[in-house]
């Protein structure tokens, strides 16, 4: 069943009702909301396009915050989440939403982030509750960009959980090209725009981390793995971490709202790669649930370490050990039959005025 056709009528009706209520508010409240909106960067993408890119289950669990799932590069929301985290979270009693940004995340990350901004605003308005956001890979830094530059998003998000996110860029961005081998694929002089922006020396990464890596009253959990093929380095300072402090055991940050977790430090030798950390590892999911079900970021001991956490099975062996390559092979087959825009360019997209 198509999720968007099933759920958007409910959303649209609720939004119309909400608009009527907001229109009846007193003048001072209206002025305050308008001033807040004016202070934020405008969205360049039209509302109809943004509305078509997200969907939710009906809001039936008022005791828990809704969860927004944000996918990684080369895939889209429904491909990544409808067989993995969506059903698992639904079983745990969470209302689950999924957003997809365009062209499998190959375009300008600043444009893709607008899809997160819009989805968070809409879901917050419909549910009247703060959100938890879970993002894998690129899907971890897109919400960070949104909360950094849009105050309405920052105020609406309670938890931001990042799985193998290149928070400080990666020195493996160009190596991804070796995995793409087909007519019209990227070359050393022509890469997708997003590849440039996720490099460790990118202007996008510098702007993302400028001044304050963890703005707002948000609980930040960053989970990453020693065996990540793409998000490197892990040592001596992990690029996936935020406000890293090696002296703080397990959580590696003196900020009580930040938890940085190297999965092999918690569960030595656990075989988790870049893809399985975001779709199928059961210990990682237990760490995610701890953040969702409790105040603050993930607490390793509270999540069951070591008694119940590390004995959890590694991903089911029926899952292919070459999931990442299989995904890229699928990506290649789609490109051969007329794949969407790969946004090939020879330089990083210019920073938007609000981020300079």
């Amino acid at each position: 069943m198509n999720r968007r056709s099933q759920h958007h009528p409910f959303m649209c009706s609720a939004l119309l009702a909400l608009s009527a209520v907001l229109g009846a508010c007193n003048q001072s409240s209206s002025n305050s909301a308008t001033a807040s909106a004016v202070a934020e960067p405008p969205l360049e993408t039209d509302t109809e396009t943004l509305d078509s890119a997200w969907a939710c289950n009906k809001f039936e669990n008022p005791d828990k915050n809704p969860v927004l799932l944000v996918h990684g590069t080369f895939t889209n929301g429904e491909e990544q989440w409808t067989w993995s985290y969506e059903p698992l979270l639904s079983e745990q009693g969470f209302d689950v939403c999924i957003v997809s940004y365009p062209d499998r995340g190959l375009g300008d990350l600043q444009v893709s982030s607008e899809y997160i901004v819009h989805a968070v605003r809409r879901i917050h308005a419909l549910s009247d509750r703060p959100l938890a956001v879970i993002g894998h890979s690129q899907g971890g830094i897109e919400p960070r960009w949104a909360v950094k530059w849009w105050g309405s998003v920052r105020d609406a998000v309670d938890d931001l959980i990042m799985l193998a996110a290149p928070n400080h860029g990666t020195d493996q961005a160009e190596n991804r090209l070796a995995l793409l081998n087909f007519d019209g694929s990227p070359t050393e002089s022509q890469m997708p725009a997003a590849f440039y922006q996720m490099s460790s020396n990118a202007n996008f990464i510098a702007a993302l981390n400028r001044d304050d890596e963890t703005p707002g009253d948000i609980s930040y959990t960053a989970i990453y793995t020693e065996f990540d093929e793409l998000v490197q380095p892990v040592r001596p300072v992990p690029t996936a971490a935020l406000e890293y402090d090696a002296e703080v055991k397990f959580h590696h940050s003196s900020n009580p709202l930040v938890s940085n977790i190297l999965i092999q430090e918690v569960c030595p030798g656990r075989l988790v790669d870049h893809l399985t950390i975001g779709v199928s590892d059961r210990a990682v999911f237990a760490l995610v649930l701890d953040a969702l079900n409790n105040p603050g970021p993930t607490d390793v001991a509270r999540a069951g370490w070591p008694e119940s956490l590390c004995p959890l099975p590694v991903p089911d062996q029926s899952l292919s050990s070459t999931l990442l390559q299989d995904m890229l092979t699928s990506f290649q087959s789609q490109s051969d039959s007329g794949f969407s825009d790969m946004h090939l360019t020879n330089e990083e997209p210019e920073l938007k005025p609000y981020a300079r």
Side-chain angles (χ1 to χ4, degrees), residues 210-224:
R210 189 169 62 230
D211 299 327
D212 187 358
E213 294 184 7
T214 57
D217 190 24
I218 298 171
S219 298
Y220 292 85
T221 297
I223 306 174
Y224 43 96

Side-chain angles (χ1 to χ4, degrees), residues 42-264:
L43 301 185
E44 299 178 6
T45 309
D46 66 272
T47 301
E48 183 178 359
T49 299
L50 294 172
D51 263 336
S52 69
W54 64 280
C56 294
N57 300 325
K58 291 183 178 179
F59 298 114
E60 299 176 334
N61 302 294
D63 295 333
K64 295 189 176 185
N65 293 338
V67 179
L68 175 63
L69 300 174
V70 188
H71 63 91
T73 317
F74 295 121
T75 185
N76 61 49
E78 295 198 357
E79 281 182 0
Q80 175 159 355
W81 300 118
T82 54
W83 61 277
S84 57
Y85 267 47
E86 182 193 29
L88 291 173
L89 290 170
S90 295
E91 288 174 3
Q92 296 289 325
F94 290 94
D95 298 318
V96 184
C97 305
I98 296 176
V99 64
S100 292
Y101 33 84
D103 299 326
R104 297 179 175 269
L106 298 176
D108 186 344
L109 302 188
Q110 299 168 104
V111 175
S112 295
S113 291
E114 295 187 3
Y115 289 71
I116 315 302
V117 172
H118 184 79
V120 167
R121 286 172 170 173
R122 288 287 197 255
I123 296 163
H124 180 59
L126 287 170
S127 67
D128 195 30
R129 283 174 276 154
L131 277 72
V133 180
I134 302 173
H136 173 233
S137 191
Q138 179 188 150
I141 59 175
E142 298 280 15
R144 283 194 62 214
W145 189 263
V147 302
K148 185 175 186 70
W149 303 110
W150 281 270
S152 59
V153 177
R154 192 160 54 246
D155 293 342
V157 173
D158 183 54
D159 274 283
L160 177 50
I161 302 168
M162 297 151 285
L163 309 176
N167 283 310
H168 292 271
T170 172
D171 60 13
Q172 298 294 310
E174 293 188 11
N175 291 347
R176 298 183 190 194
L177 297 176
L179 299 173
L180 301 172
N181 182 23
F182 52 88
D183 291 340
S185 66
T187 66
E188 291 184 2
S189 61
Q190 288 276 302
M191 293 196 300
F195 281 31
Y196 288 99
Q197 292 171 306
M198 288 187 284
S199 296
S200 55
N201 62 350
N203 293 326
F204 179 90
I205 292 297
L208 178 66
N209 294 304
R210 189 169 62 230
D211 299 327
D212 187 358
E213 294 184 7
T214 57
D217 190 24
I218 298 171
S219 298
Y220 292 85
T221 297
I223 306 174
Y224 43 96
T225 174
E226 187 86 38
F227 305 118
D228 199 308
E229 308 93 327
L230 302 176
V231 179
Q232 293 286 345
V234 172
R235 303 181 190 279
V237 177
T239 189
L242 296 174
E243 298 184 2
Y244 184 76
D245 184 346
E247 299 302 315
V248 181
K249 187 176 182 180
F250 292 140
H251 299 280
H252 292 318
S253 178
S254 56
N255 185 341
L257 291 178
V258 177
S259 184
N260 296 304
I261 303 171
L262 175 62
I263 190 66
Q264 285 78 26

Side-chain angles (χ1 to χ4, degrees), residues 306-326:
E307 291 82 2
S308 62
L309 183 65
C310 297
L312 286 171
V314 295
D316 185 74
Q317 294 306 305
S318 64
L319 291 174
S320 169
S321 61
T322 58
L323 278 173
L324 181 59
Q325 185 60 57
D326 292 344

